[in-house]
Amino acid sequence: MITLAEGLRLPTNGLDYAILALYFVVVLGIGFAARRSVRTSLDFFLSGRSLPAWVTGLAFVAANLGATEILGMAATGAQYGVAVVHWYWIGAIPAMVFLGLVMMPFYYRSKVRSVPEFLLQRFDRSAHLLSSALFAFAAVLIAGVNLYALSIVVEALLGWPQWVAIVVAGLFVLAYITIGGLSSAIYNEVLQFFVILAALIPLAVLGLKRVGGWSGLSHSLTASHGHDFLTAWGGTGIGQANPLGANWLTIVLGLGFVLSFGYWTTNFAEVQRALSAKNLSAAQRTPLIGAFPKMFIVFLVMIPGLVAAVLVPKIGAPGGLQYNDAIPYLMQELLPNGVLGIAVTGLLAAFMAGMAANVSSFNTVFTYDIWAKYVKRGRPDAYYLRFGRLITAIGVLASIGTAFIASSFSNIMGYLQTLFSFFNVPMFVVFVIGMFWKRASMKSGVWGLLAGTTAAMVNYFWIYKQHVISIPTDQGANFVSAIVGFVAGALVMVVVTLFTEPKPQAELAGLVWESARSRRATGGEAAAPDLAEPPAEGDDAWYRKPALLGWGAVALAALCYLPYSL
């Protein structure tokens, strides 16, 4: 679990609390302002599909800036060094680009209101119901992680009891989502993005200054941890695990492909931001715009971790500061009052952004994909709007409960990666096979989901936990579970397809990549997802081309690797 060292308290004063209070007032104000635009359920759940790309793009990144991003990645930097960049340059950017260039046209043109709803169109009701239930369950668990992380930090830094921090933060997020719906969450995430930057930039700059700049930091870490600590791939072989508990195969395939693509392309907490964009071009550009700040945020979480490894030589040792203490310790040591208030606000904003993203996606999936489809069908739109607000409250209360489940795990970052391997990876294999293999039958979707989820769980709880096969770390086990879940789901889908009927060709229009290309080749109607719609005014500018943004992000991420690969 996240545990901060005893006695680690921030010297906050009235100025810091005033900044924090002002932030809360502004957040609620945004919620009330957004309420005026909420007239239908589409407004509440998807902002009426009306938001510009720059707003949805920043919200896309902010929704990911939660507990693991701030504390977890800094802790990983303090423990493993520069290897933390893998989670960004190979574990995020390629998948974000794939989402923007390949998958968003399918999502947006099909007019689905959620990720599971796409499975309903491509496969059948059983795949849809299972994916909806799995996603709703996972969203509540992940929201609880952010709440738990926030409560531990607040308890240690500000002295609030843990249960008070959990309840207060949960009710606050409930207030602004219930008032203003997704628009409130998204505009607050844009605000939170800049507040988070205002918190992290001073930490990185002042931390580097304390240790003599990058050259001083490099010299100290090389002397104490060795050269490989400052390289991304140092000590990583084919069959031998590095300190992360991973090798080339598990990093590239487990993290870079299966976990990464599974998270970024099927996690509705992220995809929902793109679906709220005003047109297809804006929806495609949402993850592509987000990719650029994403690839540089790693420096703002990695550098504090590296600095802490220098300033606290025995960090991670029993009885002393733990790796999770890296950012709170630097806040205590480096930041003056005022700036300290901004930093505390930034931490709280990060946790609330992560929680709000999962709660807002939970209420959409539960309302549209479970309640409206299988429980109360055909009700007036006003009924679903009221129910959406009610289920939001239930989701927050459930998240408060799951926050205590997170406390039973030794590392919240490993816990989240475990959840992703259980829930996101099986959904991704069903998506990718369903999109690129038109023969995949309707029944193969639900069996692929079941097989992938079951295989990932068996690998983690039996093969890893019972030491059937030796895997060095939880993180390494998560990479393996992701690969196992993907392969099992794919194999079962192929086998089931061979013995069951495919979906009629006429019903695949706009849902399968091959059918779209074939219709284009034969001169069929131009409604296929991979065909560009006429651009809106201004969207035809060269710097707004999705392909340019996407491949530019991939190339820039590859260039970022070079200085840390030698």
Side-chain angles (χ1 to χ4, degrees):
M1 70 186 74
I2 288 184
T3 53
L4 302 183
E6 287 296 324
L8 186 58
R9 295 289 188 271
L10 294 183
T12 48
N13 64 13
L15 176 61
D16 301 313
Y17 283 108
I19 293 172
L20 189 58
L22 177 62
Y23 170 75
F24 285 151
V25 170
V26 171
V27 166
L28 286 178
I30 291 174
F32 280 107
R35 183 183 179 88
R36 291 179 296 181
S37 64
V38 178
R39 297 181 178 86
T40 68
S41 64
L42 187 67
D43 294 333
F44 185 78
F45 294 116
L46 287 176
S47 300
R49 298 187 190 269
S50 63
L51 301 180
W54 73 268
V55 170
T56 55
L58 292 181
F60 189 91
V61 177
N64 178 248
L65 281 173
T68 54
E69 189 84 1
I70 305 301
L71 292 187
M73 289 302 180
T76 301
Q79 185 172 4
Y80 300 114
V82 171
V84 70
V85 301
H86 292 315
W87 272 269
Y88 293 78
W89 300 336
I90 194 173
I93 303 305
M96 294 169 76
V97 171
F98 183 81
L99 171 64
L101 297 184
V102 178
M103 295 189 73
M104 278 315 304
F106 286 87
Y107 284 142
Y108 200 87
R109 280 189 176 278
S110 61
K111 299 300 181 185
V112 296
R113 296 164 295 187
S114 70
V115 169
E117 191 173 6
F118 185 86
L119 291 183
L120 175 63
Q121 295 189 14
R122 174 59 183 89
F123 294 101
D124 60 8
R125 290 168 65 89
S126 58
H128 171 253
L129 180 59
L130 178 60
S131 64
S132 300
L134 289 175
F135 178 82
F137 182 62
V140 170
L141 289 174
I142 296 171
V145 173
N146 284 280
L147 256 187
Y148 172 67
L150 182 149
S151 71
I152 294 297
V153 172
V154 170
E155 179 187 28
L157 302 184
L158 302 179
W160 295 6
Q162 184 182 129
W163 71 270
V164 172
I166 288 177
V167 173
V168 169
L171 293 179
F172 190 79
V173 172
L174 170 63
Y176 74 76
I177 293 181
T178 304
I179 292 170
L182 182 64
S183 293
S184 175
I186 286 179
Y187 280 112
N188 270 305
E189 284 161 1
V190 173
L191 170 65
Q192 287 159 348
F193 174 78
F194 291 106
V195 174
I196 292 166
L197 291 186
L200 294 178
I201 290 174
L203 275 182
V205 172
L206 295 176
L208 280 176
K209 183 178 179 181
R210 175 68 67 89
V211 296
W214 183 257
S215 61
L217 179 65
S218 302
H219 177 77
S220 298
L221 290 175
T222 301
S224 60
H225 292 74
H227 176 71
D228 287 347
F229 199 74
L230 291 172
T231 65
W233 296 99
T236 304
I238 297 296
Q240 184 175 2
N242 63 9
L244 282 173
N247 55 37
W248 275 84
L249 179 65
T250 53
I251 290 175
V252 173
L253 184 58
L255 173 63
F257 176 61
V258 181
L259 271 175
S260 172
F261 278 64
Y263 173 79
W264 289 102
T265 65
T266 67
N267 182 18
F268 189 51
E270 301 293 335
V271 175
Q272 186 181 29
R273 273 76 194 139
L275 288 179
S276 66
K278 63 182 180 179
N279 55 35
L280 174 59
S281 174
Q284 284 192 275
R285 283 183 280 126
T286 293
L288 305 179
I289 290 172
F292 288 92
K294 176 68 177 178
M295 77 176 71
F296 295 111
I297 286 173
V298 63
F299 295 108
L300 299 181
V301 293
M302 178 181 71
I303 289 175
L306 298 179
V307 169
V310 171
L311 297 182
V312 189
K314 294 185 178 181
I315 189 171
L321 290 177
Q322 300 303 300
Y323 295 114
N324 286 314
D325 295 329
I327 281 184
Y329 170 78
L330 295 184
M331 289 169 60
Q332 180 191 58
E333 292 293 310
L334 302 177
L335 299 183
N337 291 110
V339 178
L340 183 60
I342 294 174
V344 172
T345 303
L347 275 183
L348 298 185
F351 297 137
M352 288 193 296
M355 181 189 176
N358 283 282
V359 170
S360 60
S361 60
F362 163 80
N363 65 23
T364 303
V365 168
F366 198 95
T367 301
Y368 279 146
D369 294 288
I370 297 177
W371 198 258
K373 284 282 196 305
Y374 303 101
V375 182
K376 297 292 185 180
R377 301 169 60 183
R379 296 298 180 91
D381 185 74
Y383 170 83
Y384 296 118
L385 177 59
R386 291 193 303 271
F387 181 81
R389 290 194 163 103
L390 172 63
I391 200 63
T392 300
I394 294 173
V396 169
L397 293 176
S399 299
I400 291 174
T402 61
F404 295 99
I405 296 178
S407 67
S408 64
F409 286 77
S410 60
N411 184 294
I412 60 165
M413 185 179 182
Y415 173 48
L416 278 177
Q417 295 288 320
T418 301
L419 294 179
F420 296 154
S421 69
F422 291 170
F423 300 113
N424 292 93
V425 168
M427 195 174 295
F428 172 63
V429 68
V430 172
F431 264 80
V432 75
I433 290 180
M435 277 183 169
F436 292 98
W437 188 32
K438 62 183 178 182
R439 175 67 179 83
S441 69
M442 292 185 290
K443 292 301 180 185
S444 68
V446 66
W447 289 108
L449 280 173
L450 281 172
T453 301
T454 302
M457 289 182 173
V458 167
N459 179 78
Y460 186 84
F461 290 114
W462 181 53
I463 294 178
Y464 168 59
K465 288 295 187 180
Q466 301 302 318
H467 307 290
V468 176
I469 295 177
S470 178
I471 304 176
T473 65
D474 285 353
Q475 202 60 261
N478 290 331
F479 294 164
V480 175
S481 294
I483 295 172
V484 169
F486 184 90
V487 172
L491 288 176
V492 168
M493 287 189 71
V494 171
V495 171
V496 171
T497 293
L498 295 178
F499 294 94
T500 54
E501 291 297 319
K503 199 176 186 74
Q505 180 74 24
E507 297 179 18
L508 293 177
L511 301 174
V512 180
W513 189 266
E514 287 86 351
S515 68
R517 287 193 316 210
S518 64
R519 289 198 310 158
R520 182 177 59 203
T522 57
E525 66 177 84
D530 60 336
L531 295 179
E533 68 178 16
E537 183 178 356
D539 284 351
D540 55 351
W542 66 270
Y543 56 87
R544 293 186 177 182
K545 299 290 185 182
L548 176 65
L549 290 171
W551 290 110
V554 171
L556 192 55
L559 288 175
C560 287
Y561 254 128
L562 292 180
Y564 303 102
S565 300
L566 304 176

